[in-house]
Amino acid sequence: MTTRDPDPDPGTAAAPVARLVEVTRLHGDGAGAVHALKGVSLDVAAGELVAVMGPSGSGKSTLLNLAGGLDRPSSGHIQVEGVELGGLSAAGLAALRRRNVGYVFQDLNLIPSLTAAENVMLPRELDGVRTARAREEARAVLGEVGAGDLADRFPDEMSGGQRQRVAIARALVGERRLLLADEPTGAVDTLVGDEILRLLRAKADAGAAVLVVTHEPRYAAWADRVVFLKDGEIVDSAAAGLVSAR
Amino acid sequence: MTIRHGLLALLTQGPRYGYQLRAEFEASTGATWPLNIGQVYTTLSRMERDGLVAPGEQDEQGRMVYAITEKGRAELDRWFATPVAQADRPRDELVIKLAMAITAPGVDVARVVQAQRSATMRTLQELTRAKRGAGAAQRLVLDSMIFQAEAEQRWLAHCEAVLAASPKEGM
């Protein structure tokens, strides 16, 4: 297992937004223990979109959950914005997640009884932001993802692609720089799927660090770097040729 | 790939010089099939012979403008109305390579598959990059190539799964 993530630009010594070093995750213990991840190292820098590809059971979702502090590794180190997650209490970890990490899950988890704007506002309000400001932020970020006209709609009044946009807006609201997406294209058609990746790409180009897990090559292809995960190990990675040309 | 029908389609927008046809052809197809000017003039003169296009006035530099004829329009209509047959593809080197990798002793098939997956993924990344900011026609051309590269990726993932389930010795 080697680290295939040399600093792309040694001139800027900025720490990556997310860093995994020799991360191992075991499920169960003793002889029946299963290695979900076996010593994975991966950096995601600001401005970078990284895709993780692999068959089901390869450890993709485990990797994403660990990077976002939703799960803890059996060994190895994980840093988000330079903070070592292993050193944080449960409450500290929760606070870091809310402040720094946005998630888009396959089953969007939008709350059906809240409008799009209210769904987007929720994490900010939980963070103590006043309602009026949270609403303003929600409108702005919904506009950013092309869902400004959906603000007052409820999830069941939206198409799959529209719900996806709202979920992405919720992931982006606030100052978060790390965006994690687990199969964000779900079951949408390729046109909507491309739009979703275009949005994530735009966020990366605007300075976010984006880590996307997908089993679909066409979506992985939007990334600067595609990491192939197999049986809990990174087996190869493909980097796009001209990173500076975007 | 039928250059002649592509040129006929461009001529339905009005008479064009050869160099204009070349530029418009490349713009429509996202420069996927670069044409040299010689190909354009050869095709035009054959189409003139077949009555599909008619030459107009020569300009002072000796350049000829071409217009589509009624016969040319009929040929173009026929082309658009006819589905493209699944052409006999030339022998696919990748398929042969994988078959041979499995047959020949001492070859790390998984490595061959992974090397191809990474290479095809880089191609997919380049095509996807080119798609940003592409016009509608170019975008659809690039999408077609993306779907083809994607099919190869899926096939390679399938090969990997099949090989993992039944190791080389058993095949």
Side-chain angles (χ1 to χ4, degrees):
Chain A
M1 179 61 241
T2 54
T3 304
R4 292 171 188 273
D5 300 298
D7 188 349
D9 181 1
T12 58
V17 177
R19 164 165 277 179
L20 285 78
V21 184
E22 287 296 318
V23 169
T24 297
R25 181 68 173 96
L26 269 161
H27 291 301
D29 45 25
V34 178
H35 266 95
L37 286 181
K38 305 171 189 165
V40 166
S41 297
L42 180 70
D43 283 358
V44 189
E48 196 181 25
L49 174 58
V50 176
V52 180
M53 278 200 78
S56 47
S58 59
K60 298 187 303 255
S61 294
T62 302
L63 173 61
L64 202 74
N65 289 339
L66 287 167
L70 291 169
D71 187 11
R72 287 185 188 268
S74 305
S75 68
H77 298 277
I78 299 166
Q79 293 172 3
V80 172
E81 299 282 13
V83 176
E84 177 75 36
L85 300 192
L88 294 176
S89 64
L93 192 56
L96 178 130
R97 282 201 305 259
R98 277 203 311 275
R99 268 197 314 275
N100 300 108
V101 190
Y103 305 89
V104 185
F105 295 107
Q106 193 169 6
D107 51 353
L108 310 173
N109 296 323
L110 292 177
I111 297 171
S113 58
L114 300 181
T115 63
E118 289 163 348
N119 264 287
V120 176
M121 288 164 63
L122 188 62
R124 296 297 282 158
E125 291 189 295
L126 291 176
D127 234 3
V129 172
R130 285 171 176 279
T131 302
R133 183 166 157 218
R135 185 173 298 278
E136 215 169 281
E137 286 178 354
R139 298 260 169 195
V141 73
L142 281 168
E144 215 177 291
V145 301
D149 53 339
L150 303 175
D152 298 321
R153 285 207 218 159
F154 291 93
D156 64 4
E157 299 168 338
M158 295 183 251
S159 70
Q162 290 173 328
R163 282 198 287 271
Q164 214 87 4
R165 280 171 192 270
V166 173
I168 290 173
R170 183 187 52 188
L172 298 175
V173 74
E175 309 281 298
R176 298 147 170 178
R177 278 211 308 169
L178 178 58
L179 187 55
L180 305 174
D182 193 353
E183 302 283 359
T185 52
V188 300
D189 61 40
T190 50
L191 186 60
V192 176
D194 275 356
E195 275 310 306
I196 289 166
L197 266 296
R198 194 183 285 276
L199 275 176
L200 295 175
R201 178 75 255 173
K203 289 317 292 184
D205 291 344
V210 185
L211 185 60
V212 180
V213 158
T214 180
H215 68 281
E216 303 224 42
R218 66 177 299 110
Y219 301 131
W222 286 83
D224 298 300
R225 207 147 40 95
V226 181
V227 172
F228 292 90
L229 203 61
K230 198 170 142 190
D231 300 331
E233 291 180 85
I234 293 177
V235 291
D236 204 358
S237 72
L242 301 159
V243 175
S244 60
R246 62 167 188 260
Chain B
M1 164 59 210
T2 169
I3 298 168
R4 80 169 29 202
H5 293 108
L7 299 185
L8 283 176
L10 293 171
L11 287 172
T12 58
Q13 299 170 73
R16 295 282 193 278
Y17 289 106
Y19 71 89
Q20 286 178 305
L21 288 169
R22 179 193 178 199
E24 289 177 16
F25 186 94
E26 294 194 358
S28 299
T29 58
T32 307
W33 295 286
L35 292 182
N36 67 51
I37 196 71
Q39 273 175 298
V40 173
Y41 285 117
T42 309
T43 307
L44 283 171
S45 67
R46 285 188 189 144
M47 289 201 292
E48 185 189 343
R49 181 197 65 200
D50 298 341
L52 304 176
V53 298
E57 302 280 301
Q58 247 181 25
D59 69 7
E60 60 276 13
Q61 291 171 54
R63 292 183 303 198
M64 196 95 83
V65 95
Y66 286 88
I68 189 167
T69 62
E70 275 310 306
K71 195 178 170 194
R73 282 180 194 277
E75 172 58 20
L76 186 63
D77 288 345
R78 190 196 59 73
W79 184 59
F80 278 130
T82 311
V84 177
Q86 185 71 52
D88 289 339
R89 293 214 298 178
R91 282 178 226 169
D92 189 324
E93 185 186 343
L94 174 58
V95 176
I96 295 170
K97 187 181 279 190
L98 273 196
M100 291 305 158
I102 291 166
T103 311
V107 181
D108 185 345
V109 188
R111 182 175 286 255
V112 174
V113 171
Q114 185 55 51
Q116 188 66 41
R117 288 192 77 180
S118 297
T120 310
M121 180 51 73
R122 276 190 286 275
T123 305
L124 255 179
Q125 286 172 287
E126 281 159 27
L127 292 169
T128 305
R129 191 178 293 274
K131 202 164 79 164
R132 295 180 229 164
Q138 290 181 6
R139 178 179 172 169
L140 293 181
V141 170
L142 290 165
D143 274 333
S144 162
M145 298 166 83
I146 285 170
F147 276 106
Q148 283 171 36
E150 188 183 23
E152 188 181 293
Q153 283 281 315
R154 286 182 186 284
W155 177 67
L156 289 165
H158 173 76
C159 291
E160 218 166 57
V162 169
L163 288 167
S166 58
K168 196 168 165 172
E169 292 74 40
M171 299 194 75

